[in-house]
Amino acid sequence: MTGGGELRSGLSGRLSGPVRSVWAKHDRDTEGWLPLWCHMEDSGSVAGLLWDRWVSSNVRALVAEALPGGEEDARLLAVWLAVVHDIGKATPAFACQVDQLADRMRREGLEMPTRRQFGADRKLAPHGLAGQVLLGEWLEERHGWTRKQSGQFGIVPGGHHGVPPEHGQIKELDDRPHLLRTPGPSRPVWQRVQDELLDACADEYGVRRRLGAWRAVKLPQPVQVLLTALVIMADWIASNPELFPYFPQEIHRTGQERMAAAWRGLSLPPPWRPVEPAGDVEEVFASRFDLPPGAKVRPVQEAAVRLARSMPAPGLMVIEAPMGEGKTEAALAVAEIFAARSGAGGVLLALPTMATGNAMFPRLLDWLERLPAEEGARLSVLLAHSKAALNDDYAGLMRESRQQITAVDTDAETPEWRPRHEKRSAPAELVAHEWLRGRKKAMLSSFVAGTVDQLLFAGLKSRHLALRHLAVAGKVVVIDEAHAYDTYMSVYLDRVLSWLGAYRVPVVVLSATLPAARRRQLAEAYAGAVTVAGSGAGAAEFEAVAQTDAYPLLTAVAAGRHPVMERPAASARGGAVHVEPLDEDLDVLADRLAAELDRGGCVLVVRNTVRRVLDTARVLRERFGDEHVTVAHSCFLDIDRAANDADLLVRFGPPGKTGDRRPVKHIVVASQVAEQSLDVDFDLLVTDLCPVDLLLQRMGRLHRHQRGPGQGHRPEGLRTANCLVTGVDWGSEVPTPVRGSVAVYGAYALLRSAAVLLPHLEGARRPVQLPRDISALVQEAYGDAPTGPEGWAEAMTKALEQQKRHRTDQAERAQVFRLGDVQKPGRPLIGWIAAGAGDADDTRAGRAQVRDSKESLEVVVVQRRLDGSLATVPWLDKGRGGLELPLDRVPSPKAARAAAGCGLRLPIQFSYGDVMDRAITELEKLYVPAWQAKDSPWLAGQLILALDADCQTRLAGFSLHYSQRDGLEVSSD
């Protein structure tokens, strides 16, 4: 047997002689192998099924639009490129790697040097690049294409290992033809084998008749990306030996039988196929969301649905509306309409933090369970951040969806896959699919909730970027809290939006406090330079987007069209907030709260640094008692922080959900964690001075809900909404914010915030009217016009210069690894991610690539007992506390998961060069080899911080103390 598969048909039937000896896959353990023709056929079959049963309609339509034969051409091209993607393996530079398989080929006349004889030159011909060159030569020499014409097709096999080649790499290979065909008598044999494979592929897959028409095609770069990603998927699936066993075991199966067995074993969930919801807005919201009795759809929600239905084509919609106005529900309703009208096959919810992602995930599941679906439909779902497996909702979904991916009996009539539990009664079954996991594939799930980093990675030059683009191209993208992203992140976000516009991906952007200039930047980035620069009218209309002060506001942009704005009415919610300056002294704060809480009440005190949170809580506990003061900040164990958030929602959430659990008198001292995505409601707000948009977000936690007629269920003295602003020396000629606030936000943003608040702080102290004043305050604070008293001008100018230098630095650093813009159609993706960042992942280092933050240290916190053994911290509930963590073996799954849930991000002082290096060195002393097992991933690769029996330790010259009540406290020696 020279190549195996004599009983097969298809591509095999067109080949004979030496070509059948060319190999593609080899297993060193079993000595099994796979002929190249077989892997090519497998890959093409997978690509065809992916195209027919997995790729979303909008992606298929985008590819089809670029080709003269429409969708028929698009499918032909996708399958053919998957078939020929590994043609570069039919070269001596690749084939020499396995001696016995190379000898088999030599016996058929395909002479080649040994791997050692090739030397370092062999690395200049990776089989992807070799495949691009061979396919290009075949198109040029046998079909009359130019090199430019062939390059836009050849780049797909060239980039199927995650990085499209660069011009220099192509030149180096062109200069070394011996890597593609061995010189001498065997060169014609190599040429004949390569041509025979490519000819057979063109004939078997019906492409030869279309090559003439395709020669005139100019493939848009987004289409090149999508085809590359589809080929990568097909290659990965076809390379799985569990699904596609190696020879000689498979000799008895036809290609169709082999593919049918593999597809059943994979059981990949199809894309979402939504139908635009019928009925009026009230009916849509009643059927999709768990609305309180008597609740009415708000004007912003109604306007968003109406605008989505009226747009000529789905595009970008920016929804600006007050806090608590139901923007998330509006976004999901718009997403369903956009998906139905565009053919998108899923939704991506991008949120600022892991905590907000965790909070959104159950809301996503609730919405999915209410969506209509065909009987037996399955939808793949993902929580996308590095600690998703610790989320109970997602962990439960993974357990229910557990799947062993293996090839199945070809005679089976039903898939091997079965959910482990049949708990959900949703119209569509929700699954966390086994194959759609891992940093490179997970985003391919249909429905994703996660951090915005996952979206920003689509603008980062990184390996396998094409897969990320395929993942977002098939979805509706919802970007929440758009005001929360700084200049560095915005550089990436704007570039991603430009690519999303090119893919015609529908996008919904949400914000309560969006500066007008930023609104315009988002709209222009999505619409593209052609629309903006095309005419004076277009430019004027985009300028109008930046000039309006309407609020609430909806802004809609479809690709190639001018923006449209709608100004819905505000709901009846909101009211007057009285703003008052408060002295920075903590005793003054304690005295004021004592007076305000004379008859009870719930107060939120927001500080800009964790240090200020803890210092404030210490003073207030001395005055009010431990039982009346709660702390919330980012330096808690993951599991404790999640419990803190849940506790805040229970005690301070909406009236219908908290019942009688709301305390009579209580003070919550929190950092910025209280700013967003927590539906909590307080009677009085005290806040450090911060940028005005964030201050308004904090005000959104003040009198958030109606508690009785005229707020009559609140304590008598707190029925008027009052916000006390501190963290600044109000007595100096120019207000001086505390040092920690300046370090976090910069002096200019704080001074502008103070300036626009002056009319509400001085004299008669005109209240801030919500929502009426939100846009006016934000636009003035972020505008270019001077503001504030004349005596502040010098300080303002100096602070502005500092801010400009900082933002310029941010923008320049962000551009180092930022993806280029979409180039004109027909230009190959050569060098697309040149000088890139390597792999992009949701590790601390990965997140630092798209956020302007120092790489933070994350540790897993355990406790060292008096006898020296390790255990989980003792206060964990559900029997997880005090579990043994043995040093000589893998801990039990329960103990390992409990320990992993105790992740902690160390504060900023551990992120500086020498301190970080010293801390890592000290932490690495507690390295437990037994915990690094591949079958127990919870603790593998983690830095372990062991606290003593008193929950204390020392690290890099700092003393650390942790308590369930206050989180981590750090003091220098």
Side-chain angles (χ1 to χ4, degrees):
M1 183 181 72
T2 59
E6 284 81 350
L7 301 181
R8 297 168 59 104
S9 57
L11 188 60
S12 171
R14 296 180 180 271
L15 304 172
S16 61
V19 69
R20 298 179 63 81
S21 69
V22 180
W23 66 276
K25 302 287 181 182
H26 175 252
D27 187 327
R28 295 186 184 277
D29 295 330
T30 66
E31 294 301 327
W33 70 290
L34 206 60
L36 177 56
W37 65 261
C38 184
H39 179 60
M40 296 170 83
E41 188 176 79
D42 291 340
S43 300
S45 298
V46 173
L49 284 171
L50 287 173
W51 183 270
D52 296 338
R53 304 184 188 182
W54 183 83
V55 174
S56 59
S57 298
N58 64 333
V59 169
R60 293 202 305 267
L62 193 69
V63 178
E65 187 178 290
L67 296 164
E71 182 142 344
E72 182 180 354
D73 265 4
R75 189 185 190 280
L76 275 177
L77 179 58
V79 171
W80 175 62
L81 289 173
V83 172
V84 301
H85 81 279
D86 263 353
I87 187 63
K89 290 183 175 179
T91 59
F94 177 86
C96 70
Q97 295 179 92
V98 178
D99 291 339
Q100 63 269 36
L101 296 179
D103 287 341
R104 181 193 299 268
M105 293 173 64
R106 291 184 182 105
R107 289 195 294 271
E108 295 291 324
L110 292 165
E111 290 296 333
M112 69 191 86
T114 65
R115 184 171 185 169
R116 177 173 295 180
Q117 288 171 334
F118 265 123
D121 267 7
R122 196 186 67 80
K123 295 181 179 179
L124 299 176
H127 72 267
L129 173 59
Q132 176 174 336
V133 172
L134 291 180
L135 181 60
E137 288 180 355
W138 182 78
L139 289 169
E140 294 155 27
E141 295 172 5
R142 296 171 68 88
H143 298 280
W145 291 38
T146 66
R147 191 159 194 175
K148 185 176 181 180
Q149 290 168 336
S150 68
Q152 56 186 331
F153 291 81
I155 196 68
V156 175
H160 84 268
H161 272 271
V163 181
E166 300 175 34
H167 287 288
Q169 294 172 300
I170 298 172
K171 176 65 166 57
E172 287 182 324
L173 183 54
D174 285 344
D175 292 342
R176 294 166 176 81
H178 66 283
L179 297 174
L180 300 180
R181 303 174 187 98
T182 304
S186 66
R187 177 181 171 83
V189 184
W190 280 105
Q191 180 79 59
R192 189 165 58 250
V193 162
Q194 294 160 355
D195 288 343
E196 186 177 350
L197 276 169
L198 290 171
D199 286 341
C201 292
D203 292 332
E204 178 66 22
Y205 292 92
V207 166
R208 187 182 296 275
R209 60 184 174 82
R210 300 301 301 155
L211 291 177
W214 290 355
R215 185 170 58 186
V217 166
K218 293 185 177 180
L219 278 185
Q221 286 196 328
V223 171
Q224 297 177 43
V225 175
L226 296 176
L227 290 170
T228 301
L230 186 65
V231 168
I232 292 172
M233 278 191 72
D235 181 35
W236 284 0
I237 294 171
S239 298
N240 186 331
E242 292 182 317
L243 295 170
F244 293 90
Y246 292 171
F247 281 38
Q249 295 94 325
E250 283 292 283
I251 187 173
H252 68 285
R253 290 187 179 182
T254 65
Q256 292 88 344
E257 291 171 337
R258 180 175 166 88
M259 184 64 241
W263 192 255
R264 284 196 298 268
L266 181 64
S267 191
L268 199 63
W272 179 39
R273 293 185 174 87
V275 176
E276 185 171 344
D280 60 26
V281 179
E282 295 279 354
E283 293 171 330
V284 171
F285 272 70
S287 64
R288 300 296 189 266
F289 306 108
D290 185 15
L291 301 178
K296 297 291 185 181
V297 174
R298 294 173 180 145
V300 167
Q301 297 171 329
E302 184 174 5
V305 170
R306 185 176 62 250
L307 182 57
R309 286 173 166 172
S310 66
M311 290 175 66
L316 170 77
M317 183 184 295
V318 182
I319 302 177
E320 298 172 66
M323 300 70 70
E325 196 73 359
K327 293 187 292 294
T328 298
E329 288 78 10
L332 291 174
V334 170
E336 185 176 0
I337 295 168
F338 277 176
R341 296 186 61 202
S342 69
V347 175
L348 166 61
L349 299 172
L351 299 117
T353 64
M354 290 186 193
T356 53
N358 285 335
M360 183 61 69
F361 191 64
R363 298 175 68 181
L364 172 63
L365 295 182
D366 288 343
W367 176 65
L368 290 175
E369 289 180 337
R370 289 180 167 87
L371 290 178
E374 298 176 3
E375 184 177 353
R378 295 161 54 230
L379 301 175
S380 53
V381 187
L382 172 75
L383 177 60
H385 61 67
S386 61
K387 298 181 180 179
L390 299 172
N391 179 278
D392 288 341
D393 290 303
Y394 187 60
L397 196 62
M398 287 194 294
R399 286 193 299 270
E400 294 168 23
S401 310
R402 188 159 294 165
Q403 171 189 7
Q404 183 69 30
I405 295 180
T406 58
V408 296
D409 185 349
T410 55
D411 295 327
E413 296 181 358
T414 57
E416 180 93 349
W417 182 91
R418 284 289 184 273
R420 192 174 179 189
H421 300 293
E422 300 281 358
K423 286 172 40 178
R424 296 191 180 275
S425 57
E429 186 164 20
L430 309 182
V431 298
H433 193 272
E434 185 76 26
W435 194 82
L436 296 173
R437 296 186 192 172
R439 67 185 182 192
K440 295 177 182 177
K441 296 182 295 185
M443 291 291 290
L444 295 165
S445 298
S446 295
F447 294 91
V448 180
T451 59
V452 72
D453 308 67
Q454 302 297 335
L455 178 63
L456 299 183
F457 284 148
L460 179 73
K461 291 181 180 180
S462 54
R463 290 182 62 86
H464 293 102
L465 182 60
L467 283 178
R468 288 191 177 272
H469 278 226
L470 176 61
V472 296
K475 296 181 176 66
V476 178
V477 174
V478 178
I479 304 169
D480 199 7
E481 310 281 5
H483 55 272
Y485 309 127
D486 62 14
T487 300
Y488 190 92
M489 298 173 73
S490 295
V491 167
Y492 282 101
L493 180 57
D494 289 355
R495 184 51 46 85
V496 171
L497 283 172
S498 72
W499 279 87
L500 294 181
Y503 289 121
R504 296 202 291 273
V505 170
V507 178
V508 185
V509 177
L510 307 179
S511 179
T513 52
L514 191 65
R518 185 68 189 125
R519 179 195 308 137
R520 174 178 180 163
Q521 289 167 355
L522 294 170
E524 287 181 343
Y526 183 85
V530 173
T531 301
V532 178
S535 68
E541 292 191 29
F542 276 94
E543 180 61 25
V545 169
Q547 294 302 321
T548 181
D549 59 358
Y551 190 82
L553 179 68
L554 305 180
T555 306
V557 180
R561 296 178 180 270
H562 297 316
V564 174
M565 291 178 286
E566 286 208 6
R567 300 161 177 82
S571 70
R573 302 174 70 255
V577 176
H578 297 265
V579 186
E580 178 183 342
L582 184 68
D583 192 278
E584 167 60 9
D585 186 272
L586 288 176
D587 289 330
V588 172
L589 172 63
D591 291 342
R592 179 63 180 270
L593 293 185
E596 296 284 356
L597 299 179
D598 181 52
R599 298 188 181 184
C602 299
V603 181
L604 174 63
V605 180
V606 183
R607 298 305 209 189
N608 291 339
T609 65
V610 174
R611 181 73 269 161
R612 286 175 59 77
V613 169
L614 295 173
D615 289 344
T616 302
R618 191 172 295 112
V619 170
L620 295 181
R621 282 183 176 132
E622 291 174 356
R623 180 70 66 92
F624 295 97
D626 291 355
E627 70 277 12
H628 293 300
V629 179
T630 294
V631 163
H633 56 72
S634 59
C635 289
F636 277 88
L637 304 184
D638 291 334
I639 200 165
D640 288 343
R641 181 172 173 183
N644 291 344
D645 287 350
D647 177 66
L648 291 176
L649 288 170
V650 165
R651 292 195 289 166
F652 306 103
K657 296 183 179 180
T658 56
D660 59 357
R661 290 169 288 187
R662 187 176 178 87
V664 174
K665 179 169 70 175
H666 204 83
I667 304 168
V668 175
V669 188
S671 67
Q672 294 89 335
V673 299
E675 263 175 28
Q676 54 197 13
S677 298
L678 276 179
D679 190 5
V680 288
D681 168 36
F682 291 88
D683 304 314
L684 174 67
L685 173 67
V686 181
T687 173
D688 282 349
L689 180 67
C690 61
V692 75
D693 53 330
L694 304 182
L695 193 140
L696 290 165
Q697 291 282 344
R698 296 174 186 184
M699 285 185 187
R701 275 66 193 156
L702 175 62
H703 286 212
R704 185 180 181 92
H705 298 291
Q706 191 70 25
R707 294 190 180 274
Q711 300 290 0
H713 293 171
R714 298 183 190 275
E716 185 175 348
L718 300 176
R719 292 171 187 169
T720 298
N722 289 304
C723 171
L724 312 180
V725 182
T726 182
V728 59
D729 179 3
W730 292 109
S732 58
E733 182 180 355
V734 179
T736 307
V738 295
R739 182 185 302 176
S741 297
V742 174
V744 174
Y745 297 115
Y748 186 68
L750 295 174
L751 286 176
R752 295 283 298 196
S753 181
V756 302
L757 288 172
L758 276 183
H760 308 282
L761 291 166
E762 294 181 338
R765 294 209 300 267
R766 179 173 68 82
V768 174
Q769 296 289 338
L770 299 179
R772 188 186 68 193
D773 289 339
I774 291 178
S775 183
L777 288 169
V778 171
Q779 306 321 325
E780 183 180 356
Y782 285 93
D784 296 327
T787 188
E790 289 185 6
W792 296 18
E794 183 178 351
M796 281 277 196
T797 300
K798 181 179 179 181
L800 176 59
E801 291 172 354
Q802 292 174 337
Q803 185 202 61
K804 286 181 176 178
R805 287 195 297 269
H806 176 63
R807 289 189 171 179
T808 299
D809 176 66
Q810 282 188 313
E812 289 175 352
R813 285 186 290 107
Q815 289 172 2
V816 173
F817 294 126
R818 185 186 63 169
L819 184 66
D821 213 337
V822 184
Q823 300 297 309
K824 63 182 181 180
R827 182 169 179 174
L829 290 171
I830 295 172
W832 188 49
I833 57 174
D839 285 324
D841 55 40
D842 198 16
T843 62
R844 61 179 184 271
R847 290 189 295 274
Q849 293 169 332
V850 291
R851 292 180 185 255
D852 186 28
S853 59
K854 292 184 178 294
E855 183 179 346
S856 58
L857 271 185
E858 294 184 26
V859 296
V860 169
V861 176
V862 302
Q863 190 171 49
R864 190 183 298 279
R865 294 167 170 164
L866 293 176
D867 63 2
S869 63
L870 299 180
T872 59
V873 294
W875 57 82
L876 302 182
D877 60 3
K878 301 179 182 178
R880 296 175 292 182
L883 296 177
E884 180 187 8
L885 297 169
L887 298 176
D888 59 346
R889 61 184 185 279
V890 173
S892 69
K894 182 177 181 180
R897 187 175 190 270
C902 295
L904 175 68
R905 185 173 298 180
L906 296 179
I908 189 67
Q909 51 262 56
F910 292 97
S911 295
Y912 296 98
D914 292 343
V915 175
M916 174 178 275
D917 292 343
R918 181 178 171 186
I920 291 174
T921 299
E922 293 178 13
L923 290 166
E924 287 180 338
K925 292 178 181 178
L926 183 52
Y927 176 82
V928 185
W931 294 2
Q932 313 307 315
K934 291 183 179 180
D935 58 352
S936 181
W938 291 109
L939 299 176
Q942 300 291 337
L943 294 171
I944 308 298
L945 178 69
L947 304 176
D948 63 19
D950 295 322
C951 290
Q952 300 182 44
T953 192
R954 291 172 52 80
L955 182 65
F958 292 90
S959 295
L960 280 61
H961 176 255
Y962 187 88
S963 69
Q964 189 181 10
R965 184 187 73 168
D966 287 339
L968 183 69
E969 297 183 75
V970 178
S971 58
S972 57
D973 293 344

